[in-house]
Amino acid sequence: MDKTENKKAVSRRDFVKGSAAVVGSLMASRFPLSANAYYSSDDAIRVGLIGCGGRGTGAALQALSSGQNVKLVAMADAFRDRLDESLSNLLNPENSDAPADGALDYRTRIDVPDEQKFVGFDAYRQVIPLVDVVLIATPPGFRPIHFEAAVEADKHVFMEKPVATDAPGVRRILAAAEKSRQKKLNVVVGLQRHYETVYREWVGRIHEGVIGDIVSGRVYWNGEGVWVRERQAGQTEMEYQMRNWYYFNWLCGDHIVEQHIHNLDVANWVKKGHPIRAQGQGGRQVRIGPDSGQIFDHHSVEYEYADGTFIQSQCRHMPVCMNRVSEAFQGTLGTAPAPGELLDQWGHSIFKHRGKDDLNPYQVEHDELFAAIASGEYKYADAENGAVATMTAIMGRMATYSGNIVNWDAALASNLNLMPERFAFDADPPVLPDEKGNYPVPVPGVTQAL
């Protein structure tokens, strides 16, 4: 029997158990393990969702639509109303943000009884032992904690980006990523451009040297901003910040980290490495007042790479301005003016991707992850790249908040921990409003940024 046939002969359950067995042989004393204790007998891949917002709900739907024998069996969120809303949307496709697949009634694969719905800061601890694959879609600040716990319990993982909000969190992800490699746990991070046909073909040709060596680039996430949830009577400060997580750095990391990471990740992908230093500027002009938290509404950063080339980055949240979410690069033999396009040095087209039949990359990343798990293959180890992309974005924030040049090694070694000392709804978050309800906003030249 060759290796391929042997892999086919290994059931999904055997593979998951096999991953635990590898760990057991390598690290028996540290991973005594309960990972097998709750395996069901129907050979389904059991999935648990941690973080039941819009993206988490979408991730669950995509996992269920992956074409594999997947069941959603447990859910966790800080708030019961968010969990109930997510489950309602999943069970009622017309209420879901994601389109239903008419060829698959994924609702028959949802079995989350009340005793497997968990609420609160520690709810993730109760989901993880019940499942084979963990979907982590909490606010980014929690992801190092949840990823560590999933890997310790020998679970395969889909984790949204960014994977942390500060350097200590990135270091925790890198350490857990190494363990996940040792255990051969598949890990996919939601930097979905890596699973998008247009980017795969575009970056592949750039790496083949079609436009020569890359000497500069520009990356953008310029848009209008995101939601605001009004403060409700009786809310503690911790609950208010948790429900408005986008506007607080300990939870979100600022929008240069939460959204612009996609474009910075593409820059690193094209350059085959991370920048060595950054400098930039930013601030807030239209995002002001008590409902705007502490984050900036614009950042402009110059990233320098090890070969002496520069990538210029912009991200902005301002209405009625030019919107652009894209990447462009200049080579010694031509240009890459937009994803899917390549021009020679005279401006003639040498590649134009036709994306008419391209698949949804949000679905593709789940299709590929669950296909690997179902076939018993170890194929995906995205956590390290997710950590490097996250650190690239955090380094940009450090540059705009400080107003100074920030070097990679110093940024990654930073011990500035943004997370609270205690996770509880009666605990104080790391930042508090003044008597007028306004939060402290970083001031370049004054604020400690790393």
Side-chain angles (χ1 to χ4, degrees):
M1 180 180 291
D2 65 25
K3 290 183 179 179
T4 301
E5 290 173 330
N6 186 50
K7 286 177 181 177
K8 289 179 180 177
V10 177
S11 72
R12 297 166 186 148
R13 190 64 43 215
D14 290 338
F15 172 66
V16 180
K17 289 179 179 177
S19 296
V22 169
V23 174
S25 64
L26 293 175
M27 307 175 179
S29 61
R30 286 186 293 158
F31 305 103
L33 168 146
S34 58
N36 295 333
Y38 296 93
Y39 289 162
S40 64
S41 58
D42 62 3
D43 206 34
I45 301 171
R46 303 197 299 182
V47 171
L49 172 61
I50 302 174
C52 300
R55 188 74 277 280
T57 304
L61 174 60
Q62 284 139 10
L64 293 165
S65 303
S66 66
Q68 306 301 328
N69 184 12
V70 173
K71 281 189 176 180
L72 178 65
V73 301
M75 300 173 72
D77 197 272
F79 303 107
R80 181 58 190 248
D81 61 297
R82 298 290 288 167
L83 188 156
D84 289 342
E85 181 181 17
S86 175
L87 186 56
S88 176
N89 284 337
L90 286 167
L91 291 170
N92 297 281
E94 65 272 19
N95 295 328
S96 175
D97 291 338
D101 182 349
L104 173 67
D105 186 358
Y106 59 83
R107 289 171 293 178
T108 63
R109 298 183 174 186
I110 299 173
D111 182 15
V112 186
D114 284 344
E115 60 269 24
Q116 292 183 187
K117 299 172 184 174
F118 305 104
V119 175
F121 287 98
D122 289 332
Y124 71 98
R125 297 181 187 276
Q126 296 163 290
V127 165
I128 290 173
L130 300 176
V131 302
D132 307 313
V133 183
V134 181
L135 310 179
I136 300 174
T138 49
F142 292 109
R143 289 175 192 157
I145 300 169
H146 297 165
F147 182 57
E148 279 182 343
V151 172
E152 288 292 327
D154 312 326
K155 309 301 181 181
H156 303 279
V157 173
F158 171 80
M159 174 167 53
E160 264 301 338
K161 56 73 213 166
V163 298
T165 58
D166 56 22
V170 169
R171 295 198 296 272
R172 292 177 70 170
I173 292 287
L174 288 170
E178 177 57 30
K179 284 186 177 179
S180 71
R181 284 181 182 274
Q182 294 173 12
K183 296 182 175 189
K184 299 187 185 304
L185 300 171
N186 284 293
V187 179
V188 165
V189 171
L191 290 164
Q192 74 275 359
R193 283 162 171 76
H194 289 274
Y195 296 85
E196 190 168 356
T197 303
V198 60
Y199 280 94
R200 285 174 163 177
E201 295 198 1
W202 188 53
V203 177
R205 283 169 171 77
I206 292 173
H207 285 171
E208 289 171 359
V210 172
I211 59 170
D213 297 330
I214 300 302
V215 295
S216 66
R218 309 182 308 279
V219 295
Y220 307 90
W221 192 293
N222 292 333
E224 296 192 352
V226 298
W227 41 263
V228 173
R229 299 190 176 103
E230 293 184 1
R231 188 183 294 272
Q232 302 298 312
Q235 279 183 331
T236 65
E237 181 61 28
M238 180 65 84
E239 179 178 353
Y240 174 76
Q241 293 194 18
M242 286 284 287
R243 290 189 181 275
N244 284 277
W245 60 269
Y246 202 96
Y247 297 94
F248 297 95
N249 283 329
W250 70 277
L251 288 160
C252 164
D254 205 319
H255 67 109
I256 189 174
V257 178
E258 214 287 326
Q259 287 180 302
H260 195 35
I261 183 176
H262 284 297
N263 319 102
L264 296 170
D265 172 55
V266 171
N268 287 352
W269 187 9
V270 167
K271 291 296 297 179
K272 300 181 180 179
H274 60 72
I276 59 171
R277 63 180 62 91
Q279 68 86 21
Q281 52 192 293
R284 47 195 274 168
Q285 291 181 290
V286 301
R287 178 180 279 153
I288 57 177
D291 63 353
S292 298
Q294 62 176 149
I295 66 175
F296 281 1
D297 58 21
H298 63 281
H299 303 255
S300 179
V301 182
E302 180 184 77
Y303 287 97
E304 181 179 353
Y305 286 72
D307 60 1
T309 59
F310 292 86
I311 300 292
Q312 180 65 40
S313 100
Q314 294 180 13
C315 61
R316 181 177 63 202
H317 277 182
M318 292 183 185
V320 200
C321 294
M322 179 202 78
N323 291 335
R324 183 175 183 181
V325 178
S326 187
E327 306 86 16
F329 300 94
Q330 176 69 48
T332 54
L333 300 177
T335 61
E341 294 185 50
L342 296 174
L343 306 176
D344 66 18
Q345 55 193 314
W346 297 281
H348 301 138
S349 178
I350 51 179
F351 172 69
K352 177 72 174 179
H353 178 73
R354 308 295 179 185
K356 179 182 177 183
D357 299 320
D358 285 359
L359 300 174
N360 178 353
Y362 289 93
Q363 186 60 55
V364 172
E365 59 191 2
H366 285 83
D367 290 349
E368 295 191 9
L369 170 64
F370 283 94
I373 294 171
S375 63
E377 295 179 276
Y378 172 54
K379 293 183 64 176
Y380 298 100
D382 287 358
E384 182 176 350
N385 180 65
V388 170
T390 298
M391 195 64 236
T392 301
I394 290 173
M395 184 168 71
R397 183 191 71 206
M398 290 173 169
T400 61
Y401 280 12
S402 70
N404 290 305
I405 296 172
V406 177
N407 292 309
W408 178 269
D409 290 345
L412 183 57
S414 169
N415 288 318
L416 183 61
N417 184 346
L418 301 183
M419 300 301 285
E421 294 181 358
R422 186 167 68 92
F423 296 108
F425 285 113
D426 63 353
D428 282 339
V431 293
L432 295 170
D434 62 19
E435 65 278 5
K436 295 182 179 179
N438 294 310
Y439 295 88
V441 177
V443 178
V446 175
T447 296
Q448 180 188 359
L450 71 160

